[in-house]
Amino acid sequence: MAPLVSTIDIARSPDEVFAYVTDPARFTEWQGDVVRVRAEDGGPASTGKGDRFTTTRRIGPSERTFTQEVTESRPPGSWSARGLDGPLRPSMDITVEPLAGGTASRVTFALDFDPHGIGVPLLPLVRRQAAKGAPVSYRNLKRRLEALTG
């Protein structure tokens, strides 16, 4: 299946957008289903290639925690992370492009899932939920970033 792709324009520079959107410690600020994020070693989650972090998401009435690894980090243009465990391993590719002479940004998100075991029959449901929920998160991201001063 093709990834779920969404694009949003944000009135902030690519450097600002990239730093915020790829910081796992800030996921709880704009992704409503994220309960907590931490680095695999227990410290602050980092964004460099090879860094690992765990994300706990609220899915229905329960919480699920999974580990992700940053597979690409090329500021301020692209960042990718892949799930390493669980029945539905998410992957996210983020591209940030400059607009308006670098005073604004176009952010493209490509979200996909790699199902394993019980995740295979759950994949259609999860994709439908993500197709509804992810754009809400992206609009939250835009609101938060455009409200920042400085």
Side-chain angles (χ1 to χ4, degrees), residues 47-69:
T47 62
K49 185 174 181 177
D51 290 337
R52 292 183 177 187
F53 57 95
T54 60
T55 304
T56 301
R57 292 184 181 272
R58 185 172 299 107
I59 302 170
S62 61
E63 293 181 1
R64 301 280 185 239
T65 300
F66 52 91
T67 304
Q68 291 177 276
E69 180 177 59

Side-chain angles (χ1 to χ4, degrees), residues 8-122:
I8 193 161
D9 293 349
I10 300 174
R12 301 300 283 195
S13 74
D15 288 330
E16 292 171 288
V17 171
F18 186 89
Y20 190 93
V21 76
T22 64
D23 182 352
R26 301 197 90 154
F27 289 177
T28 59
E29 296 174 13
W30 59 277
Q31 296 180 41
D33 62 336
V34 175
V35 176
R36 70 187 151 276
V37 179
R38 69 172 180 78
E40 193 168 79
D41 65 6
S46 184
T47 62
K49 185 174 181 177
D51 290 337
R52 292 183 177 187
F53 57 95
T54 60
T55 304
T56 301
R57 292 184 181 272
R58 185 172 299 107
I59 302 170
S62 61
E63 293 181 1
R64 301 280 185 239
T65 300
F66 52 91
T67 304
Q68 291 177 276
E69 180 177 59
V70 178
T71 58
E72 177 184 1
S73 184
R74 293 188 301 152
S78 59
W79 186 87
S80 299
R82 303 279 181 264
L84 301 176
D85 53 14
L88 284 164
R89 299 171 190 180
S91 63
M92 174 62 77
D93 298 315
I94 299 172
T95 304
V96 181
E97 302 170 78
L99 297 176
T103 62
S105 303
R106 175 163 293 143
V107 186
T108 303
F109 299 90
L111 173 63
D112 208 353
F113 301 92
D114 181 17
H116 293 262
I118 190 69
V120 173
L122 294 175

Side-chain angles (χ1 to χ4, degrees), residues 115-133:
H116 293 262
I118 190 69
V120 173
L122 294 175
L123 182 61
L125 172 66
V126 169
R127 284 182 60 87
R128 278 193 303 275
Q129 289 176 335
K132 278 197 228 176

